[in-house]
Amino acid sequence: MSSDPRLSKIVQSLPPSGIRKFFDLANEMKGEVISLSIGEPDFVTPWHIREKGILSLEKGKTHYSPNQGYIELRETITEYLDRKFDLKYDPRKEVVVTVGGSEAIDAAVRAIVDPGDEVIIPEPCFVAYKACVILAGAVPVPLPCNASDGFKPDPDKLRRIITEKTKLVILGYPTNPTGTTLSREDLKPIAGIIADKDLLVLSDELYAELIYDETEHFSISKFEGMRERTIVINGLSKAFAMTGWRIGFAVGPESLIAAINRIHQYVIMSSPTTAQYAAIEALKNGDESVEAMRTEYDTRRKILLEALSSCGLECIEPKGAFYAFPSIKSTGMTSEDFCEKFLLSKKVAIVPGTAFGDAGEGHVRISYAASSDSIIEAMHRLGDFCAEVTRR
Amino acid sequence: MDTITRVLGLLDRNAKLTAEDIATRIKLPVSEVEAIIHKAEQDGMILGYKAVINWDRIVENTVTAMIEVRITPQQSLGFDRIARRIYSFPQVKDCLLMSGGFDLLLIVEDRSLKDVANFVSEKVAQLDNVISTATHFILKRYKSNGVIFEDKGENDREAVVL
């Protein structure tokens, strides 16, 4: 469908365009396919959390909350961040509760950039970063990351693409779609460059709880001199299986959070009240539920990786989130072609790597937020498919 | 969690998993998983493998009742001998010694209400040490053994979420 010329030029320029066809096809075939294409937990929100939401409704808690979110939730958030990631913020001045991590990303970008400013985004990455930058009138500058580096951003490349106009770097680790995590050592040179060039950082840490093996989550805001220039975004969607509740939050220095809140108060007013009550319960008493889900994701991750290797597809071992991002280059097909043919012939939906930036070409995203049984069956079909297309 | 607990935990949720399936899931050699399962069977940690069946879907006339039984304990034998006497009946699916107002709780399955009534009046109530019984029939099974029996709602997740 061609775009309506009455629309703003910015909106007309927004991705996606190319892979729309694939998504439409996947939607049409929904119900007859195994979906490993969904970027949200397959778990339902744990009952103790849902119950607190229900209880708040029963008590008639149906009004607006303060713009920044209920103070009890903000206090719970800062206690949680301190307990889990050793991050210290003032619940009164340095936290804003948003409508999912997505709103926090949008408001943070708009709070920081002016038209023409450049924003560096390592790719492949979550699709909203680029779109939010474009909507804010700024210029997204991709920093392509390679499978050979484990999809970690190369500090030298980063330094080279910084210009006078660069204002912000968006880092999303653990990464959707690659599952890449960055250690303290990985982040150190990046933080050094950012501080040296006096840039700001938007650190999207939504998947921080979902990490495997001996991986530890480290926030870039913890380096000396970085706290004052970093907005950390996190939320309840992924770790607590609360995508539909739409609760995220941003923490950072008072001036940046106040700016985000200024946008938030006009656009959103306040995050959903019911969801805020549920979020308090999740952050206070949800550790066991998170751990149970994380263990299950880890089991599936192992099944998936073993299956990919027996299909002959190379894959960097993902240490976080719930995605694998194998290379399909050995088949000689493009990502989109591979996904479309696989969907049509084997009835399994996975996502072309190009949905996450040009650097995703030659790869596909497979989500393991699905039952072990469906992963095992899908991987049998993938094995058959790869054998067929390689033989040709 | 130790390895035995992990293996047994997986089997507890799905007894159909093969040693290969389990080995894939917890990254252990198949032979080691087989050895753990074998030992668990020998040591009485695994007592059997059962499907969780919703019999209401298959047999039209199946009745489940919970029966409270009050008993005079026997000298030196306590409740054990009478419990053994009762659980030997094949229609008794569970037999539990309880604290509180009664002693044994039986879960009994049979083909009809009349069969259960006969079992209670002719078998259980006739036993010497049984003082009284109270029978409760199960009307609907919402959740049993951790498994939800109601129809699952339609899958309302989106086809693709980036």
Short mmCIF file of all heavy atoms in Angstrom, two decimals, chain A residues 266-325:
data_model
loop_
_atom_site.label_atom_id
_atom_site.label_comp_id
_atom_site.label_asym_id
_atom_site.label_seq_id
_atom_site.Cartn_x
_atom_site.Cartn_y
_atom_site.Cartn_z
N TYR A 266 2.39 15.32 29.36
CA TYR A 266 1.49 15.85 28.33
C TYR A 266 0.94 14.73 27.43
O TYR A 266 -0.21 14.76 27.01
CB TYR A 266 2.21 16.87 27.44
CG TYR A 266 2.52 18.16 28.18
CD1 TYR A 266 3.82 18.64 28.28
CD2 TYR A 266 1.49 18.88 28.79
CE1 TYR A 266 4.11 19.80 28.98
CE2 TYR A 266 1.77 20.05 29.48
CZ TYR A 266 3.07 20.50 29.57
OH TYR A 266 3.35 21.65 30.26
N VAL A 267 1.78 13.75 27.13
CA VAL A 267 1.41 12.74 26.15
C VAL A 267 0.61 11.60 26.79
O VAL A 267 -0.35 11.10 26.21
CB VAL A 267 2.66 12.18 25.45
CG1 VAL A 267 2.29 11.10 24.44
CG2 VAL A 267 3.40 13.30 24.74
N ILE A 268 1.03 11.19 27.96
CA ILE A 268 0.48 9.98 28.58
C ILE A 268 -0.32 10.29 29.84
O ILE A 268 -1.22 9.57 30.19
CB ILE A 268 1.64 9.01 28.96
CG1 ILE A 268 2.40 8.58 27.72
CG2 ILE A 268 1.14 7.80 29.74
CD1 ILE A 268 1.62 7.72 26.76
N MET A 269 0.04 11.38 30.51
CA MET A 269 -0.52 11.74 31.81
C MET A 269 0.06 10.82 32.88
O MET A 269 0.86 11.25 33.69
CB MET A 269 -2.04 11.64 31.79
CG MET A 269 -2.68 12.26 32.97
SD MET A 269 -2.97 14.00 32.69
CE MET A 269 -4.58 13.93 31.96
N SER A 270 -0.35 9.55 32.90
CA SER A 270 0.25 8.63 33.87
C SER A 270 0.06 7.20 33.38
O SER A 270 -0.83 6.94 32.58
CB SER A 270 -0.39 8.80 35.24
OG SER A 270 -1.77 8.50 35.17
N SER A 271 0.92 6.32 33.86
CA SER A 271 0.84 4.90 33.44
C SER A 271 -0.40 4.26 34.05
O SER A 271 -0.93 4.74 35.05
CB SER A 271 2.09 4.16 33.90
OG SER A 271 3.20 4.73 33.28
N PRO A 272 -0.85 3.15 33.47
CA PRO A 272 -2.08 2.51 33.95
C PRO A 272 -2.01 2.18 35.45
O PRO A 272 -1.03 1.61 35.92
CB PRO A 272 -2.15 1.22 33.13
CG PRO A 272 -1.26 1.41 31.97
CD PRO A 272 -0.26 2.44 32.33
N THR A 273 -3.04 2.59 36.15
CA THR A 273 -3.07 2.44 37.61
C THR A 273 -3.06 0.98 38.05
O THR A 273 -2.27 0.58 38.91
CB THR A 273 -4.31 3.18 38.15
OG1 THR A 273 -4.11 4.58 37.92
CG2 THR A 273 -4.55 2.94 39.63
N THR A 274 -3.91 0.17 37.46
CA THR A 274 -3.99 -1.25 37.83
C THR A 274 -2.61 -1.90 37.66
O THR A 274 -2.15 -2.65 38.52
CB THR A 274 -4.99 -1.98 36.90
OG1 THR A 274 -6.18 -1.22 36.82
CG2 THR A 274 -5.29 -3.37 37.41
N ALA A 275 -1.99 -1.59 36.54
CA ALA A 275 -0.70 -2.20 36.24
C ALA A 275 0.37 -1.76 37.23
O ALA A 275 1.28 -2.53 37.56
CB ALA A 275 -0.28 -1.85 34.81
N GLN A 276 0.26 -0.53 37.71
CA GLN A 276 1.25 -0.07 38.70
C GLN A 276 1.14 -0.87 40.00
O GLN A 276 2.15 -1.22 40.60
CB GLN A 276 1.07 1.42 38.99
CG GLN A 276 1.48 2.31 37.82
CD GLN A 276 1.59 3.78 38.25
OE1 GLN A 276 2.27 4.10 39.21
NE2 GLN A 276 0.92 4.65 37.51
N TYR A 277 -0.09 -1.16 40.42
CA TYR A 277 -0.25 -1.97 41.64
C TYR A 277 0.31 -3.37 41.43
O TYR A 277 0.95 -3.94 42.32
CB TYR A 277 -1.72 -2.01 42.08
CG TYR A 277 -2.12 -0.73 42.77
CD1 TYR A 277 -2.91 0.23 42.14
CD2 TYR A 277 -1.67 -0.46 44.06
CE1 TYR A 277 -3.25 1.41 42.76
CE2 TYR A 277 -2.00 0.72 44.70
CZ TYR A 277 -2.80 1.66 44.05
OH TYR A 277 -3.11 2.83 44.68
N ALA A 278 0.06 -3.94 40.26
CA ALA A 278 0.60 -5.27 39.97
C ALA A 278 2.13 -5.22 39.94
O ALA A 278 2.80 -6.14 40.42
CB ALA A 278 0.05 -5.78 38.64
N ALA A 279 2.67 -4.13 39.41
CA ALA A 279 4.13 -4.01 39.29
C ALA A 279 4.80 -3.96 40.66
O ALA A 279 5.90 -4.49 40.84
CB ALA A 279 4.47 -2.76 38.48
N ILE A 280 4.15 -3.32 41.62
CA ILE A 280 4.71 -3.27 42.98
C ILE A 280 4.89 -4.69 43.51
O ILE A 280 5.94 -5.07 44.03
CB ILE A 280 3.80 -2.45 43.93
CG1 ILE A 280 3.80 -0.98 43.49
CG2 ILE A 280 4.25 -2.59 45.39
CD1 ILE A 280 2.75 -0.11 44.19
N GLU A 281 3.84 -5.50 43.34
CA GLU A 281 3.91 -6.90 43.80
C GLU A 281 5.02 -7.65 43.05
O GLU A 281 5.79 -8.40 43.65
CB GLU A 281 2.55 -7.57 43.57
CG GLU A 281 2.53 -9.08 43.74
CD GLU A 281 2.82 -9.56 45.16
OE1 GLU A 281 2.72 -8.74 46.10
OE2 GLU A 281 3.14 -10.76 45.32
N ALA A 282 5.10 -7.44 41.74
CA ALA A 282 6.10 -8.16 40.93
C ALA A 282 7.51 -7.86 41.42
O ALA A 282 8.31 -8.77 41.65
CB ALA A 282 5.94 -7.77 39.46
N LEU A 283 7.81 -6.58 41.60
CA LEU A 283 9.18 -6.20 41.96
C LEU A 283 9.50 -6.59 43.40
O LEU A 283 10.64 -6.89 43.72
CB LEU A 283 9.38 -4.70 41.76
CG LEU A 283 9.26 -4.20 40.31
CD1 LEU A 283 9.32 -2.68 40.26
CD2 LEU A 283 10.36 -4.80 39.44
N LYS A 284 8.48 -6.58 44.26
CA LYS A 284 8.73 -6.93 45.67
C LYS A 284 8.84 -8.44 45.86
O LYS A 284 9.72 -8.91 46.57
CB LYS A 284 7.59 -6.41 46.56
CG LYS A 284 7.78 -4.98 47.00
CD LYS A 284 6.79 -4.59 48.08
CE LYS A 284 7.07 -3.16 48.54
NZ LYS A 284 5.88 -2.54 49.11
N ASN A 285 7.93 -9.19 45.25
CA ASN A 285 7.83 -10.62 45.58
C ASN A 285 7.96 -11.53 44.36
O ASN A 285 7.54 -12.68 44.42
CB ASN A 285 6.50 -10.89 46.28
CG ASN A 285 6.35 -10.07 47.56
OD1 ASN A 285 7.29 -9.99 48.36
ND2 ASN A 285 5.20 -9.43 47.73
N GLY A 286 8.51 -11.02 43.28
CA GLY A 286 8.51 -11.81 42.04
C GLY A 286 9.79 -12.60 41.76
O GLY A 286 9.87 -13.28 40.74
N ASP A 287 10.78 -12.52 42.65
CA ASP A 287 12.07 -13.16 42.35
C ASP A 287 11.94 -14.64 41.99
O ASP A 287 12.55 -15.11 41.04
CB ASP A 287 13.02 -13.02 43.55
CG ASP A 287 13.61 -11.62 43.64
OD1 ASP A 287 13.21 -10.76 42.83
OD2 ASP A 287 14.46 -11.38 44.52
N GLU A 288 11.13 -15.34 42.77
CA GLU A 288 11.00 -16.79 42.52
C GLU A 288 10.37 -17.07 41.17
O GLU A 288 10.81 -17.97 40.45
CB GLU A 288 10.12 -17.43 43.61
CG GLU A 288 10.90 -18.19 44.64
CD GLU A 288 9.99 -18.83 45.66
OE1 GLU A 288 9.17 -19.68 45.27
OE2 GLU A 288 10.08 -18.45 46.84
N SER A 289 9.34 -16.29 40.84
CA SER A 289 8.67 -16.48 39.54
C SER A 289 9.65 -16.21 38.40
O SER A 289 9.69 -16.95 37.42
CB SER A 289 7.49 -15.52 39.41
OG SER A 289 6.66 -15.59 40.53
N VAL A 290 10.43 -15.13 38.54
CA VAL A 290 11.39 -14.78 37.48
C VAL A 290 12.40 -15.92 37.31
O VAL A 290 12.71 -16.34 36.21
CB VAL A 290 12.13 -13.46 37.81
CG1 VAL A 290 13.26 -13.21 36.82
CG2 VAL A 290 11.15 -12.30 37.79
N GLU A 291 12.89 -16.43 38.44
CA GLU A 291 13.90 -17.47 38.39
C GLU A 291 13.35 -18.74 37.73
O GLU A 291 14.02 -19.39 36.93
CB GLU A 291 14.45 -17.76 39.80
CG GLU A 291 15.57 -18.78 39.86
CD GLU A 291 16.75 -18.51 38.90
OE1 GLU A 291 16.95 -17.35 38.51
OE2 GLU A 291 17.43 -19.47 38.52
N ALA A 292 12.09 -19.07 38.04
CA ALA A 292 11.48 -20.26 37.43
C ALA A 292 11.39 -20.09 35.91
O ALA A 292 11.70 -21.01 35.15
CB ALA A 292 10.10 -20.49 38.03
N MET A 293 11.00 -18.89 35.47
CA MET A 293 10.87 -18.66 34.02
C MET A 293 12.25 -18.63 33.36
O MET A 293 12.44 -19.19 32.29
CB MET A 293 10.12 -17.34 33.75
CG MET A 293 8.64 -17.43 34.14
SD MET A 293 7.66 -16.00 33.62
CE MET A 293 7.93 -14.87 34.98
N ARG A 294 13.21 -18.01 34.05
CA ARG A 294 14.56 -17.93 33.50
C ARG A 294 15.15 -19.33 33.30
O ARG A 294 15.76 -19.63 32.28
CB ARG A 294 15.45 -17.11 34.43
CG ARG A 294 16.71 -16.54 33.79
CD ARG A 294 17.68 -16.04 34.86
NE ARG A 294 18.10 -17.13 35.72
CZ ARG A 294 19.07 -17.99 35.42
NH1 ARG A 294 19.74 -17.87 34.30
NH2 ARG A 294 19.37 -18.98 36.25
N THR A 295 14.94 -20.20 34.30
CA THR A 295 15.44 -21.57 34.20
C THR A 295 14.81 -22.27 33.00
O THR A 295 15.47 -23.00 32.27
CB THR A 295 15.10 -22.34 35.50
OG1 THR A 295 15.59 -21.58 36.60
CG2 THR A 295 15.73 -23.72 35.52
N GLU A 296 13.52 -22.04 32.80
CA GLU A 296 12.83 -22.66 31.67
C GLU A 296 13.36 -22.12 30.33
O GLU A 296 13.62 -22.89 29.40
CB GLU A 296 11.32 -22.40 31.80
CG GLU A 296 10.46 -23.05 30.72
CD GLU A 296 10.55 -24.57 30.65
OE1 GLU A 296 10.79 -25.20 31.70
OE2 GLU A 296 10.41 -25.11 29.53
N TYR A 297 13.59 -20.80 30.26
CA TYR A 297 14.17 -20.24 29.03
C TYR A 297 15.54 -20.86 28.75
O TYR A 297 15.89 -21.15 27.62
CB TYR A 297 14.34 -18.72 29.14
CG TYR A 297 13.07 -17.91 29.12
CD1 TYR A 297 12.85 -16.90 30.05
CD2 TYR A 297 12.09 -18.14 28.16
CE1 TYR A 297 11.69 -16.15 30.04
CE2 TYR A 297 10.92 -17.38 28.15
CZ TYR A 297 10.73 -16.39 29.10
OH TYR A 297 9.59 -15.65 29.08
N ASP A 298 16.30 -21.04 29.83
CA ASP A 298 17.65 -21.58 29.67
C ASP A 298 17.59 -23.00 29.10
O ASP A 298 18.38 -23.37 28.22
CB ASP A 298 18.36 -21.56 31.03
CG ASP A 298 19.86 -21.80 30.89
OD1 ASP A 298 20.39 -21.62 29.77
OD2 ASP A 298 20.50 -22.18 31.88
N THR A 299 16.66 -23.80 29.61
CA THR A 299 16.47 -25.16 29.09
C THR A 299 16.19 -25.11 27.59
O THR A 299 16.80 -25.82 26.80
CB THR A 299 15.26 -25.81 29.81
OG1 THR A 299 15.53 -25.82 31.19
CG2 THR A 299 15.03 -27.23 29.32
N ARG A 300 15.27 -24.24 27.20
CA ARG A 300 14.89 -24.14 25.79
C ARG A 300 16.04 -23.62 24.94
O ARG A 300 16.23 -24.04 23.80
CB ARG A 300 13.71 -23.18 25.65
CG ARG A 300 12.48 -23.64 26.41
CD ARG A 300 11.55 -22.47 26.50
NE ARG A 300 10.32 -22.77 27.20
CZ ARG A 300 9.34 -21.89 27.32
NH1 ARG A 300 9.46 -20.69 26.80
NH2 ARG A 300 8.25 -22.21 27.96
N ARG A 301 16.80 -22.69 25.52
CA ARG A 301 17.95 -22.14 24.81
C ARG A 301 18.92 -23.25 24.45
O ARG A 301 19.43 -23.32 23.32
CB ARG A 301 18.64 -21.12 25.74
CG ARG A 301 19.80 -20.36 25.15
CD ARG A 301 20.37 -19.41 26.20
NE ARG A 301 21.07 -20.15 27.24
CZ ARG A 301 22.39 -20.18 27.38
NH1 ARG A 301 23.16 -19.51 26.57
NH2 ARG A 301 22.94 -20.88 28.35
N LYS A 302 19.14 -24.17 25.41
CA LYS A 302 20.07 -25.27 25.16
C LYS A 302 19.53 -26.20 24.07
O LYS A 302 20.28 -26.65 23.21
CB LYS A 302 20.31 -26.04 26.46
CG LYS A 302 21.19 -25.26 27.42
CD LYS A 302 21.22 -25.87 28.80
CE LYS A 302 22.08 -25.02 29.73
NZ LYS A 302 21.78 -25.27 31.12
N ILE A 303 18.24 -26.47 24.12
CA ILE A 303 17.63 -27.34 23.10
C ILE A 303 17.81 -26.70 21.73
O ILE A 303 18.21 -27.34 20.76
CB ILE A 303 16.11 -27.52 23.38
CG1 ILE A 303 15.91 -28.27 24.69
CG2 ILE A 303 15.43 -28.24 22.23
CD1 ILE A 303 14.46 -28.32 25.14
N LEU A 304 17.52 -25.40 21.67
CA LEU A 304 17.58 -24.67 20.40
C LEU A 304 18.99 -24.65 19.83
O LEU A 304 19.21 -24.93 18.65
CB LEU A 304 17.05 -23.24 20.61
CG LEU A 304 17.04 -22.32 19.40
CD1 LEU A 304 16.18 -22.89 18.29
CD2 LEU A 304 16.48 -20.94 19.80
N LEU A 305 19.98 -24.35 20.70
CA LEU A 305 21.35 -24.25 20.21
C LEU A 305 21.86 -25.58 19.69
O LEU A 305 22.52 -25.65 18.65
CB LEU A 305 22.26 -23.75 21.34
CG LEU A 305 22.11 -22.27 21.68
CD1 LEU A 305 22.96 -21.90 22.87
CD2 LEU A 305 22.50 -21.40 20.48
N GLU A 306 21.51 -26.65 20.40
CA GLU A 306 21.96 -27.97 19.96
C GLU A 306 21.33 -28.30 18.60
O GLU A 306 21.99 -28.82 17.71
CB GLU A 306 21.57 -29.01 21.00
CG GLU A 306 22.33 -30.30 20.84
CD GLU A 306 22.30 -31.12 22.13
OE1 GLU A 306 22.91 -30.66 23.12
OE2 GLU A 306 21.67 -32.18 22.14
N ALA A 307 20.03 -27.98 18.47
CA ALA A 307 19.33 -28.27 17.22
C ALA A 307 19.93 -27.46 16.07
O ALA A 307 20.12 -27.98 14.97
CB ALA A 307 17.85 -27.96 17.37
N LEU A 308 20.24 -26.18 16.32
CA LEU A 308 20.81 -25.34 15.26
C LEU A 308 22.13 -25.91 14.79
O LEU A 308 22.42 -25.95 13.59
CB LEU A 308 21.01 -23.91 15.76
CG LEU A 308 19.73 -23.09 15.95
CD1 LEU A 308 20.06 -21.75 16.61
CD2 LEU A 308 19.04 -22.85 14.61
N SER A 309 22.92 -26.38 15.75
CA SER A 309 24.21 -26.91 15.36
C SER A 309 24.04 -28.20 14.56
O SER A 309 24.77 -28.43 13.60
CB SER A 309 25.11 -27.05 16.60
OG SER A 309 25.47 -28.35 16.82
N SER A 310 23.03 -29.01 14.90
CA SER A 310 22.86 -30.21 14.08
C SER A 310 22.22 -29.91 12.72
O SER A 310 22.33 -30.72 11.81
CB SER A 310 22.11 -31.33 14.83
OG SER A 310 20.98 -30.84 15.44
N CYS A 311 21.60 -28.73 12.58
CA CYS A 311 21.12 -28.31 11.26
C CYS A 311 22.28 -27.75 10.43
O CYS A 311 22.09 -27.40 9.26
CB CYS A 311 20.07 -27.20 11.36
SG CYS A 311 18.55 -27.69 12.13
N GLY A 312 23.42 -27.56 11.05
CA GLY A 312 24.56 -26.99 10.34
C GLY A 312 24.50 -25.48 10.22
O GLY A 312 25.17 -24.88 9.38
N LEU A 313 23.68 -24.83 11.08
CA LEU A 313 23.62 -23.36 11.05
C LEU A 313 24.51 -22.80 12.16
O LEU A 313 24.36 -23.16 13.33
CB LEU A 313 22.18 -22.88 11.24
CG LEU A 313 21.18 -23.28 10.16
CD1 LEU A 313 19.82 -22.69 10.46
CD2 LEU A 313 21.65 -22.86 8.77
N GLU A 314 25.40 -21.90 11.78
CA GLU A 314 26.28 -21.29 12.78
C GLU A 314 25.51 -20.30 13.62
O GLU A 314 24.68 -19.54 13.10
CB GLU A 314 27.41 -20.54 12.08
CG GLU A 314 28.59 -21.42 11.73
CD GLU A 314 29.69 -20.63 11.05
OE1 GLU A 314 29.88 -19.45 11.39
OE2 GLU A 314 30.33 -21.21 10.15
N CYS A 315 25.77 -20.34 14.92
CA CYS A 315 25.06 -19.40 15.80
C CYS A 315 25.94 -19.02 16.97
O CYS A 315 26.49 -19.88 17.65
CB CYS A 315 23.76 -20.05 16.30
SG CYS A 315 22.74 -18.92 17.25
N ILE A 316 26.09 -17.71 17.17
CA ILE A 316 26.77 -17.21 18.36
C ILE A 316 25.91 -17.61 19.56
O ILE A 316 24.70 -17.40 19.52
CB ILE A 316 26.84 -15.66 18.33
CG1 ILE A 316 27.55 -15.17 17.08
CG2 ILE A 316 27.47 -15.11 19.59
CD1 ILE A 316 29.02 -15.42 17.05
N GLU A 317 26.53 -18.15 20.61
CA GLU A 317 25.72 -18.55 21.76
C GLU A 317 25.12 -17.32 22.42
O GLU A 317 25.84 -16.47 22.94
CB GLU A 317 26.56 -19.33 22.76
CG GLU A 317 25.70 -19.86 23.88
CD GLU A 317 26.47 -20.65 24.92
OE1 GLU A 317 27.64 -21.00 24.67
OE2 GLU A 317 25.88 -20.91 25.99
N PRO A 318 23.78 -17.18 22.39
CA PRO A 318 23.17 -16.02 23.04
C PRO A 318 23.21 -16.18 24.56
O PRO A 318 22.85 -17.22 25.07
CB PRO A 318 21.73 -16.05 22.52
CG PRO A 318 21.48 -17.47 22.13
CD PRO A 318 22.79 -18.11 21.84
N LYS A 319 23.67 -15.14 25.24
CA LYS A 319 23.80 -15.24 26.70
C LYS A 319 22.68 -14.49 27.42
O LYS A 319 22.66 -14.45 28.64
CB LYS A 319 25.15 -14.66 27.14
CG LYS A 319 26.35 -15.47 26.65
CD LYS A 319 26.50 -16.75 27.43
CE LYS A 319 27.85 -17.41 27.13
NZ LYS A 319 27.96 -18.70 27.82
N GLY A 320 21.80 -13.85 26.64
CA GLY A 320 20.72 -13.12 27.28
C GLY A 320 19.48 -13.06 26.42
O GLY A 320 19.47 -13.55 25.29
N ALA A 321 18.42 -12.45 26.96
CA ALA A 321 17.11 -12.32 26.30
C ALA A 321 16.53 -13.72 25.99
O ALA A 321 16.88 -14.68 26.67
CB ALA A 321 17.21 -11.46 25.05
N PHE A 322 15.65 -13.85 25.00
CA PHE A 322 15.19 -15.20 24.63
C PHE A 322 15.17 -15.38 23.12
O PHE A 322 14.19 -15.84 22.55
CB PHE A 322 13.84 -15.55 25.28
CG PHE A 322 12.83 -14.44 25.40
CD1 PHE A 322 12.34 -13.79 24.28
CD2 PHE A 322 12.36 -14.06 26.66
CE1 PHE A 322 11.40 -12.78 24.40
CE2 PHE A 322 11.43 -13.03 26.80
CZ PHE A 322 10.94 -12.39 25.66
N TYR A 323 16.30 -15.01 22.50
CA TYR A 323 16.43 -15.14 21.05
C TYR A 323 17.77 -15.77 20.69
O TYR A 323 18.76 -15.56 21.38
CB TYR A 323 16.39 -13.77 20.38
CG TYR A 323 15.26 -12.90 20.83
CD1 TYR A 323 15.48 -11.87 21.74
CD2 TYR A 323 13.96 -13.13 20.38
CE1 TYR A 323 14.44 -11.06 22.18
CE2 TYR A 323 12.91 -12.33 20.81
CZ TYR A 323 13.16 -11.30 21.71
OH TYR A 323 12.13 -10.52 22.15
N ALA A 324 17.74 -16.52 19.57
CA ALA A 324 18.99 -16.92 18.92
C ALA A 324 18.98 -16.26 17.55
O ALA A 324 17.91 -16.01 16.98
CB ALA A 324 19.07 -18.43 18.81
N PHE A 325 20.18 -15.97 17.03
CA PHE A 325 20.27 -15.21 15.78
C PHE A 325 21.25 -15.93 14.85
O PHE A 325 22.33 -15.40 14.54
CB PHE A 325 20.75 -13.80 16.13
CG PHE A 325 20.41 -12.75 15.10
CD1 PHE A 325 19.10 -12.46 14.78
CD2 PHE A 325 21.43 -12.03 14.46
CE1 PHE A 325 18.79 -11.46 13.85
CE2 PHE A 325 21.13 -11.04 13.53
CZ PHE A 325 19.80 -10.75 13.23
#
